[in-house]
Amino acid sequence: MTEIEKAEETFEANSSEAVGEEAFVKSLDKGKRNLGYISAVGLMVNRILGTGIFATPSTIYNLCGSIGLSLILWVVGALIALAGLYVYMEFGSAIPRNGGEKNYLEYVYSKPKFLTTGMYAAYVFLLGWAAGNSIVCGQYLLTAAGVEVTRWAERGIGVGAITFAFLVNGTTVKYGAYLQNILGLFKIVIVLFITVTGWVALGGWKKTDNFHNSFEGTTSATAYGIVNALYNVIWSFIGYSNANYALGEIKNPVKTLKIAAPTALIVLAIIYLFVNIAYFAVVPKELLKTSSTILAADFFDIAFGKTAKKASAVFVALSALGNVMSVIFSQGRIIQQLGREGILPFPKFFATSRPFNSPFVGLFQHWVVCVITILAPPPGDAYNFILNLISYPLNIINFLVAIALIYLNIQAKRGKIHWEPPLKATIPVTVFFGLSSLYLIIAPYIPPAESQKHAVYNDLPYYVHCVTALGIFFVGFVYWLFWAQILPRLFGYSLQVEEILGEDGFWRKEIKRVKHKDLAEYLSQQGTHSEEDTIDK
């Protein structure tokens, strides 16, 4: 061990004693907390209620083979999401700061230093989160126009949707936020209207016989089909931890999490189940097999006619656009934050708010990744590839978060650390979430039966999203190797984490390069600051 490494190790040990783990898990932010219960619910509902409930039920039915099994998977998916919510609630109540799972992973997986940070940065930087809903926006606009939904036509409109979202959010933050909220109302109106229509249909109006022998066809389901159906369900619940990204700005975050988060998720899970029942009550099985991502439009066509189909398609397209705007809004800020922390290359470039006092560069970066993600997959495979490429690495992250929480609770029971967050997920719930995530990591490698060879992809290998996701994490590992290991040794500096109070009043980490010759003095100053901060807290 070199003298520099010894100095860093001594500093970290002394800082741990001075600050203590209990101080770390308290909120350090001094900014104004503007978000209450309603805003916290809105953060979750706007993120969860995207286009999944409009675009995936037909695919889920085809993968399951029966109405009954597909409804069961929606319940299973809701339970997995609820378990995940409580896992994130426990972490969030212990570390009530902006940033979500990045904070939790860095807190537990601290060795090797910065490895978790580098791999997480690649996960955020290289995934086109808003691409899938951009494609759905294109599909529904073409349906509304009465134009044939060709793969390149939907992609062209998808690129237009993500470009519009980028330009609006990048040039006028205020009006971009207003537009997001207005478009968000369309989602709520549509799902409630579909739900009520389904209830009326079950009463005998335009009712199908789909619920007669509703488990017929279940025997055709395969392990490959079930896991991909679950991916589609979980895609529809992505966003249940969205409030954790803004906990530093939420009033009374523990109480708000305890009430708002489960309420939002449970209400949405019930609505999702009702919407599926409505689809199955109105749309015949023959059409369910071919509706693909435009099932909602077919539902309105059967229930109310061609005019209603076109109108509903416009509403769903606007709903998809609202989700695209919401996602790129968030992702652009995450990219900007990674730049501010000094994690990305050319950090000042990504951290800037110029020229429009917005995270324009971060938004542009996500726009580039989304455009590539929309255009690169072969025709026919784009939407499912994007869906799985987002869901698969997210399950890896969720598994690591669950393992981290189990580790903390075990260490606390042994008396080795202090871990008493206000909200507890409980070990059984955390284990269930961890095992569910592990299943969703392993199962996609099971080869599909010949009859389901093209159930998910027409031209791509069935495992392509798994390999691509692992490749993204590998890129993060390589980046960490150069950024945190090789370059510091070559140029004689050390990477040090410092807590910086931003202009907005919220603390954030900043990774600074400190020359070896200045390291001892720097660590001495930081040690003094840590003690002062502890007294202040």
Side-chain angles (χ1 to χ4, degrees), residues 45-89:
V45 170
N46 257 333
R47 184 66 178 88
I48 296 174
L49 190 52
T51 57
I53 191 60
F54 308 121
T56 62
S58 177
T59 301
I60 293 167
Y61 166 74
N62 286 320
L63 290 168
C64 292
S66 72
I67 301 293
L69 183 57
S70 61
L71 289 176
I72 287 174
L73 284 190
W74 278 96
V75 174
V76 171
L79 291 175
I80 293 173
L82 189 61
L85 173 65
Y86 275 92
V87 168
Y88 277 87
M89 282 170 58

Coordinates of all heavy atoms in Angstrom, one line a residue, residues 45-89:
V45 N -47.5 9.0 -10.5 CA -48.5 8.7 -11.5 C -48.1 9.1 -12.9 O -48.3 8.3 -13.9 CB -49.8 9.4 -11.1 CG1 -50.9 9.2 -12.2 CG2 -50.4 8.7 -9.8
N46 N -47.5 10.3 -13.0 CA -47.1 10.8 -14.3 C -46.0 9.9 -15.0 O -46.0 9.7 -16.2 CB -46.6 12.2 -14.2 CG -47.6 13.2 -14.7 OD1 -48.4 12.9 -15.6 ND2 -47.5 14.4 -14.2
R47 N -45.2 9.3 -14.1 CA -44.1 8.5 -14.6 C -44.6 7.0 -14.9 O -44.2 6.4 -15.9 CB -42.9 8.4 -13.6 CG -41.7 7.6 -14.1 CD -41.0 8.3 -15.2 NE -39.9 7.6 -15.6 CZ -39.9 6.6 -16.5 NH1 -41.0 6.2 -17.1 NH2 -38.7 6.0 -16.8
I48 N -45.4 6.5 -14.0 CA -45.9 5.1 -14.2 C -46.9 5.0 -15.4 O -46.8 4.2 -16.2 CB -46.6 4.6 -12.9 CG1 -45.5 4.5 -11.8 CG2 -47.1 3.2 -13.2 CD1 -46.1 4.1 -10.4
L49 N -47.8 6.0 -15.4 CA -48.9 5.9 -16.3 C -48.5 6.5 -17.7 O -48.7 7.6 -18.0 CB -50.1 6.7 -15.8 CG -51.5 6.5 -16.6 CD1 -51.8 5.1 -16.8 CD2 -52.6 7.3 -15.9
G50 N -47.7 5.6 -18.4 CA -47.2 6.0 -19.7 C -48.1 5.4 -20.8 O -49.3 5.6 -20.8
T51 N -47.5 4.6 -21.6 CA -48.2 3.9 -22.7 C -48.3 2.4 -22.5 O -48.9 1.7 -23.3 CB -47.6 4.2 -24.1 OG1 -46.3 3.8 -24.0 CG2 -47.7 5.7 -24.4
G52 N -47.7 1.9 -21.4 CA -47.7 0.5 -21.2 C -49.0 -0.1 -21.2 O -49.3 -1.2 -21.8
I53 N -50.0 0.5 -20.5 CA -51.3 -0.1 -20.3 C -52.1 0.0 -21.7 O -53.0 -0.7 -21.9 CB -52.1 0.7 -19.2 CG1 -53.4 -0.1 -18.9 CG2 -52.4 2.1 -19.6 CD1 -53.2 -1.5 -18.4
F54 N -51.7 0.9 -22.6 CA -52.3 1.0 -23.9 C -51.6 0.1 -24.9 O -52.3 -0.4 -25.9 CB -52.3 2.4 -24.4 CG -52.8 3.4 -23.5 CD1 -52.1 4.5 -23.0 CD2 -54.1 3.3 -23.0 CE1 -52.6 5.4 -22.1 CE2 -54.7 4.2 -22.1 CZ -53.9 5.3 -21.7
A55 N -50.3 -0.2 -24.7 CA -49.5 -0.9 -25.8 C -49.2 -2.3 -25.5 O -48.8 -3.0 -26.4 CB -48.3 -0.1 -26.0
T56 N -49.2 -2.8 -24.3 CA -48.7 -4.1 -23.9 C -49.7 -5.2 -23.7 O -49.3 -6.4 -23.8 CB -47.8 -4.0 -22.7 OG1 -48.5 -3.6 -21.6 CG2 -46.6 -3.1 -23.0
P57 N -51.0 -5.0 -23.3 CA -51.9 -6.1 -22.9 C -52.1 -7.1 -24.0 O -52.2 -8.3 -23.7 CB -53.2 -5.4 -22.6 CG -52.8 -4.0 -22.1 CD -51.6 -3.7 -23.0
S58 N -52.1 -6.7 -25.3 CA -52.2 -7.7 -26.4 C -51.0 -8.6 -26.4 O -51.2 -9.8 -26.6 CB -52.4 -7.0 -27.7 OG -52.5 -7.9 -28.8
T59 N -49.8 -8.1 -26.3 CA -48.6 -8.9 -26.3 C -48.6 -9.8 -25.1 O -48.2 -11.0 -25.2 CB -47.4 -8.0 -26.3 OG1 -47.4 -7.1 -27.4 CG2 -46.1 -8.8 -26.3
I60 N -49.0 -9.3 -24.0 CA -49.0 -10.2 -22.8 C -50.0 -11.3 -22.9 O -49.7 -12.5 -22.6 CB -49.4 -9.3 -21.5 CG1 -48.3 -8.3 -21.2 CG2 -49.7 -10.2 -20.3 CD1 -48.7 -7.2 -20.3
Y61 N -51.2 -11.1 -23.5 CA -52.1 -12.1 -23.8 C -51.6 -13.2 -24.7 O -51.7 -14.4 -24.5 CB -53.4 -11.5 -24.4 CG -54.3 -12.6 -25.0 CD1 -55.1 -13.4 -24.2 CD2 -54.4 -12.7 -26.4 CE1 -55.9 -14.4 -24.8 CE2 -55.2 -13.7 -26.9 CZ -56.0 -14.5 -26.1 OH -56.8 -15.5 -26.7
N62 N -50.9 -12.8 -25.8 CA -50.3 -13.7 -26.7 C -49.2 -14.6 -26.1 O -49.1 -15.7 -26.4 CB -49.8 -13.0 -27.9 CG -50.9 -12.5 -28.9 OD1 -51.9 -13.1 -29.1 ND2 -50.7 -11.3 -29.4
L63 N -48.5 -14.0 -25.2 CA -47.4 -14.7 -24.6 C -47.9 -15.7 -23.5 O -47.3 -16.8 -23.3 CB -46.4 -13.8 -23.9 CG -45.5 -12.9 -24.9 CD1 -44.8 -11.8 -24.1 CD2 -44.5 -13.8 -25.6
C64 N -49.0 -15.3 -22.9 CA -49.6 -16.2 -21.8 C -50.5 -17.3 -22.4 O -50.7 -18.4 -21.9 CB -50.4 -15.4 -20.9 SG -49.4 -14.3 -19.8
G65 N -51.2 -17.0 -23.5 CA -52.1 -17.9 -24.2 C -53.5 -17.9 -23.7 O -54.4 -18.5 -24.2
S66 N -53.8 -17.2 -22.5 CA -55.1 -17.2 -22.0 C -55.4 -15.8 -21.3 O -54.5 -15.2 -20.8 CB -55.4 -18.3 -21.0 OG -54.7 -18.1 -19.8
I67 N -56.7 -15.5 -21.2 CA -57.1 -14.3 -20.5 C -56.8 -14.4 -19.0 O -56.2 -13.5 -18.4 CB -58.7 -14.1 -20.6 CG1 -59.1 -14.0 -22.1 CG2 -59.1 -13.0 -19.8 CD1 -58.6 -12.8 -22.8
G68 N -57.1 -15.6 -18.4 CA -56.9 -15.8 -16.9 C -55.5 -15.6 -16.5 O -55.2 -14.9 -15.5
L69 N -54.5 -16.3 -17.3 CA -53.1 -16.2 -16.9 C -52.6 -14.8 -17.1 O -51.8 -14.3 -16.2 CB -52.3 -17.2 -17.7 CG -50.8 -17.3 -17.4 CD1 -50.6 -17.6 -15.9 CD2 -50.1 -18.3 -18.3
S70 N -53.0 -14.1 -18.1 CA -52.5 -12.7 -18.3 C -53.0 -11.8 -17.2 O -52.2 -11.0 -16.7 CB -53.0 -12.2 -19.7 OG -54.4 -12.1 -19.7
L71 N -54.2 -12.0 -16.7 CA -54.7 -11.2 -15.5 C -53.9 -11.5 -14.3 O -53.5 -10.6 -13.5 CB -56.2 -11.4 -15.3 CG -57.1 -10.8 -16.4 CD1 -58.6 -11.2 -16.0 CD2 -57.0 -9.3 -16.4
I72 N -53.6 -12.8 -14.1 CA -52.7 -13.2 -12.9 C -51.4 -12.5 -13.0 O -50.9 -12.0 -12.0 CB -52.6 -14.7 -12.9 CG1 -53.9 -15.4 -12.5 CG2 -51.5 -15.1 -11.9 CD1 -53.9 -16.9 -12.5
L73 N -50.8 -12.4 -14.2 CA -49.5 -11.8 -14.3 C -49.5 -10.3 -14.0 O -48.6 -9.8 -13.5 CB -48.9 -12.1 -15.7 CG -48.3 -13.5 -16.0 CD1 -47.6 -13.5 -17.3 CD2 -47.4 -13.9 -14.9
W74 N -50.6 -9.7 -14.3 CA -50.8 -8.3 -13.9 C -50.8 -8.1 -12.4 O -50.2 -7.2 -11.9 CB -52.0 -7.7 -14.6 CG -51.8 -7.2 -16.0 CD1 -52.1 -8.0 -17.1 CD2 -51.3 -6.0 -16.4 NE1 -51.8 -7.3 -18.2 CE2 -51.3 -6.1 -17.9 CE3 -50.7 -4.9 -15.8 CZ2 -50.8 -5.0 -18.6 CZ3 -50.3 -3.9 -16.6 CH2 -50.3 -3.9 -18.0
V75 N -51.4 -9.1 -11.7 CA -51.4 -9.0 -10.3 C -50.0 -9.3 -9.7 O -49.6 -8.6 -8.8 CB -52.4 -10.1 -9.7 CG1 -52.3 -10.1 -8.2 CG2 -53.9 -9.7 -10.1
V76 N -49.3 -10.3 -10.3 CA -48.0 -10.6 -9.9 C -47.1 -9.4 -10.1 O -46.2 -9.1 -9.2 CB -47.4 -11.9 -10.6 CG1 -46.0 -12.1 -10.4 CG2 -48.2 -13.1 -10.3
G77 N -47.2 -8.8 -11.3 CA -46.4 -7.6 -11.5 C -46.6 -6.5 -10.6 O -45.7 -5.8 -10.1
A78 N -47.9 -6.3 -10.2 CA -48.2 -5.3 -9.2 C -47.6 -5.6 -7.8 O -47.1 -4.7 -7.1 CB -49.7 -5.2 -9.1
L79 N -47.6 -6.9 -7.4 CA -47.0 -7.3 -6.2 C -45.5 -7.1 -6.2 O -44.9 -6.6 -5.2 CB -47.3 -8.8 -5.9 CG -48.8 -9.1 -5.6 CD1 -49.0 -10.6 -5.4 CD2 -49.2 -8.4 -4.3
I80 N -44.8 -7.4 -7.3 CA -43.4 -7.2 -7.4 C -43.1 -5.7 -7.3 O -42.2 -5.2 -6.6 CB -42.8 -7.7 -8.7 CG1 -42.9 -9.3 -8.8 CG2 -41.4 -7.3 -9.0 CD1 -42.6 -9.9 -10.1
A81 N -43.9 -4.9 -8.0 CA -43.7 -3.4 -7.9 C -44.0 -2.9 -6.5 O -43.2 -2.0 -6.0 CB -44.7 -2.7 -8.9
L82 N -45.0 -3.4 -5.8 CA -45.3 -3.0 -4.5 C -44.1 -3.4 -3.5 O -43.7 -2.6 -2.7 CB -46.6 -3.6 -4.0 CG -47.1 -3.1 -2.7 CD1 -47.4 -1.6 -2.8 CD2 -48.4 -3.8 -2.3
A83 N -43.6 -4.6 -3.7 CA -42.4 -5.0 -2.9 C -41.3 -4.1 -3.1 O -40.6 -3.6 -2.2 CB -42.1 -6.4 -3.2
G84 N -41.0 -3.8 -4.4 CA -39.9 -2.9 -4.8 C -40.1 -1.5 -4.2 O -39.2 -0.8 -3.8
L85 N -41.4 -1.0 -4.2 CA -41.7 0.3 -3.7 C -41.3 0.4 -2.2 O -40.7 1.3 -1.7 CB -43.2 0.6 -3.8 CG -43.7 1.8 -3.1 CD1 -43.1 3.1 -3.8 CD2 -45.2 1.9 -3.2
Y86 N -41.6 -0.7 -1.4 CA -41.3 -0.7 0.0 C -39.8 -0.8 0.2 O -39.2 -0.2 1.2 CB -42.0 -1.8 0.7 CG -43.4 -1.4 1.2 CD1 -44.5 -1.6 0.3 CD2 -43.6 -0.7 2.4 CE1 -45.8 -1.2 0.7 CE2 -44.9 -0.3 2.7 CZ -46.0 -0.5 1.9 OH -47.2 0.0 2.3
V87 N -39.1 -1.5 -0.6 CA -37.6 -1.5 -0.5 C -37.1 -0.1 -0.8 O -36.2 0.4 0.0 CB -37.0 -2.5 -1.6 CG1 -35.5 -2.3 -1.7 CG2 -37.4 -3.9 -1.2
Y88 N -37.5 0.6 -1.8 CA -37.1 1.9 -2.0 C -37.5 2.9 -1.0 O -36.9 3.9 -0.7 CB -37.5 2.4 -3.4 CG -36.7 1.9 -4.5 CD1 -36.9 0.6 -5.1 CD2 -35.6 2.7 -5.0 CE1 -36.0 0.2 -6.1 CE2 -34.8 2.2 -6.0 CZ -35.0 1.0 -6.6 OH -34.2 0.5 -7.6
M89 N -38.7 2.7 -0.4 CA -39.2 3.5 0.7 C -38.3 3.4 1.9 O -38.0 4.4 2.6 CB -40.6 3.1 1.1 CG -41.7 3.7 0.1 SD -43.3 3.0 0.4 CE -43.6 3.5 2.2

